[in-house]
Amino acid sequence: MKGQSRIFSGIRPSGDLHIGNYLGAIKQWIKLQDSHEIIAGIVDLHAITTPHEPEKLRRATLETAMVYLAAGLDPNKVTLMVQSHVPAHTELAWILGTMTPLGELERMTQFKEKGREAAARQGIMAGLLNYPVLMAADILLYQTAVVPVGEDQEQHVELARSIAERFNNKYGETFTVPAVQLQKESARIMSLTDPEKKMSKSDESAKSAIMLADEPGAIREKIKSAVTDSGKEIRYDPDAKPAVSNLLVIFSELSGRPIKELEESYNGKAYAEFKSDLAEAVIEGLKPLQAKLTELRENEQAVLTILRDGSEKAAAIANKTLASVREKIGFL
Ligand code: AMP
Ligand code: TRP
């Protein structure tokens, strides 16, 4: 039954979204929207933990909301919200931060990776370290039981679990302890130019990611220049053939054809033919989303209204949890 299980998940408005965001995260939410009460956040407070430009952030926040809608999230079923519009997130993050050991935050893989990049540029800011505490606040405020995300976020959800358990042990049952939910094969879509790295918004190589709004020409170009593995066979074997396996996952997810069937139909065929069909499948697979996106861009006001209503709805739920936390902590 809907309502028994509430879900919060989100994406940072830190640039254009790519097919990894769609296949790893948004597609899971769409599948769950009939059975669960989903709160889909546009997590702008997280986006400012890496360098950003104010006008671009504002634009990306709106664009991310449009992608959610264009991909098929139904605003009558799903609550779309902007994280910074619900102050309970920041307040709970502060409280949880006072109970989170520094060592646990320093151990986070994402902090280590992003910290290295930041150290080389402007130095590491405290917000980057506290990022997972804010994410725990996002999840715990809504009593989220399962968190549908890509694999890179698994460690952060684990941390949210231990923060919830620690709070519950100290102050009594307050938070639902969340579990991560991954989409098997597409939990980690890899870069087209380096199959050892995940596809990412911030990759310096423009050909590494297929953006959801990419034109057919750009998609053909990127797939044509995608790296492949040695050998000729087109088969799914992530260890021996990471690049081709990644392309097979993308093909399968965007065409709806099972990987097995694709392996059979490309048995003995060349990479060039496979890639050319893959490009057409991606173009076709993204067409409905892109058409809807164009429509939504013409109607920004409607999107702003959806976000305002959604953020209000989210705040009502979040404030309830926060009130109980404030009480338990001993605030006057
Ligand atoms: P981000 O772009 O880091 O805000 O990520 C938003 C969501 O997309 C999270 O659930 C991520 O786990 C997911 N995601 C990001 N990159 C990938 C990828 N390459 N493959 C699968 N999921 C991804
Ligand atoms: N940190 C997540 C990412 O980069 C985004 C995020 C923020 C999130 N808060 C969340 C995801 C809460 C799930 C639940 O992908």
Side-chain angles (χ1 to χ4, degrees):
M1 243 264 314
K2 212 169 152 140
Q4 275 184 335
S5 210
R6 203 183 287 130
I7 288 176
F8 182 96
S9 197
I11 297 183
R12 290 170 304 134
S14 52
D16 294 335
L17 303 199
H18 50 70
I19 55 171
N21 297 127
Y22 175 58
L23 302 177
I26 302 174
K27 225 175 142 188
Q28 295 200 69
W29 311 346
I30 291 166
K31 281 193 200 149
L32 294 166
Q33 69 180 341
D34 289 314
S35 54
H36 291 69
E37 181 185 345
I38 299 187
I39 296 151
I42 299 143
V43 291
D44 51 354
L45 297 167
H46 277 111
I48 61 169
T49 58
T50 46
H52 80 284
E53 289 169 38
E55 268 324 308
K56 280 196 183 152
L57 176 63
R58 229 184 310 276
R59 187 66 223 164
T61 303
L62 198 54
E63 280 281 325
T64 303
M66 291 188 215
V67 168
Y68 285 2
L69 295 166
L73 287 181
D74 178 348
N76 295 311
K77 297 179 187 159
V78 174
T79 303
L80 270 70
M81 59 85 73
V82 178
Q83 186 189 30
S84 69
H85 292 184
V86 180
H89 290 248
T90 356
E91 187 174 340
L92 184 62
W94 173 262
I95 294 169
L96 298 178
T98 64
M99 316 176 44
T100 308
L102 182 59
E104 286 186 15
L105 296 176
E106 285 171 338
R107 264 202 301 281
M108 292 289 116
T109 311
Q110 183 177 298
F111 172 69
K112 289 196 269 186
E113 282 170 5
K114 290 207 159 84
R116 252 194 306 275
E117 291 163 28
R121 278 192 309 242
Q122 84 283 16
I124 303 170
M125 303 297 155
L128 193 62
L129 181 73
N130 287 321
Y131 180 113
V133 180
L134 177 61
M135 180 161 161
D138 297 342
I139 295 168
L140 302 182
L141 273 174
Y142 299 97
Q143 306 293 353
T144 306
V146 289
V147 188
V149 283
E151 198 177 78
D152 58 333
Q153 297 302 312
E154 193 170 11
Q155 199 185 25
H156 288 161
V157 179
E158 287 300 325
L159 183 73
R161 276 179 80 82
S162 52
I163 291 176
E165 281 165 354
R166 208 173 295 128
F167 193 101
N168 287 349
N169 285 336
K170 186 155 184 204
Y171 297 106
E173 279 307 307
T174 309
F175 296 125
T176 303
V177 179
V180 72
Q181 181 164 311
L182 303 177
Q183 187 94 317
K184 274 196 289 294
E185 274 98 7
S186 61
R188 197 169 162 80
I189 299 293
M190 308 311 282
S191 151
L192 298 183
T193 49
D194 178 359
E196 300 299 316
K197 288 201 311 201
K198 66 168 185 174
M199 187 176 282
S200 142
K201 293 183 201 135
S202 55
D203 203 301
E204 63 283 352
S205 157
K207 287 194 172 164
S208 68
I210 297 172
M211 299 302 165
L212 292 174
D214 271 350
E215 304 273 347
I219 293 173
R220 289 192 189 102
E221 190 64 28
K222 287 177 184 179
I223 290 177
K224 203 168 164 193
S225 62
V227 301
T228 45
D229 309 292
S230 54
K232 284 194 186 129
E233 327 79 62
I234 294 164
R235 90 186 131 82
Y236 183 75
D237 181 347
D239 294 326
K241 309 208 78 166
V244 170
S245 300
N246 187 45
L247 297 179
L248 274 167
V249 170
I250 295 171
F251 202 152
S252 167
E253 288 287 330
L254 285 170
S255 65
R257 295 170 65 188
I259 290 183
K260 270 256 152 307
E261 185 203 308
L262 292 169
E263 284 176 332
E264 278 158 26
S265 74
Y266 289 97
N267 185 13
K269 298 202 171 135
Y271 282 155
E273 184 179 348
F274 170 68
K275 280 179 158 185
S276 144
D277 291 353
L278 166 61
E280 298 317 308
V282 173
I283 292 165
E284 276 309 306
L286 294 180
K287 227 181 217 163
L289 186 155
Q290 294 186 344
K292 191 85 199 292
L293 195 57
T294 309
E295 257 175 52
L296 288 162
R297 283 182 181 144
E298 299 297 312
N299 201 355
E300 278 183 24
Q301 207 50 47
V303 179
L304 287 169
T305 305
I306 289 171
L307 289 176
R308 194 197 51 215
D309 293 351
S311 299
E312 253 173 47
K313 237 173 105 184
I317 304 168
N319 289 340
K320 242 196 223 160
T321 306
L322 186 62
S324 119
V325 169
R326 295 175 64 99
E327 162 78 24
K328 287 180 173 156
I329 292 268
F331 288 162
L332 184 66

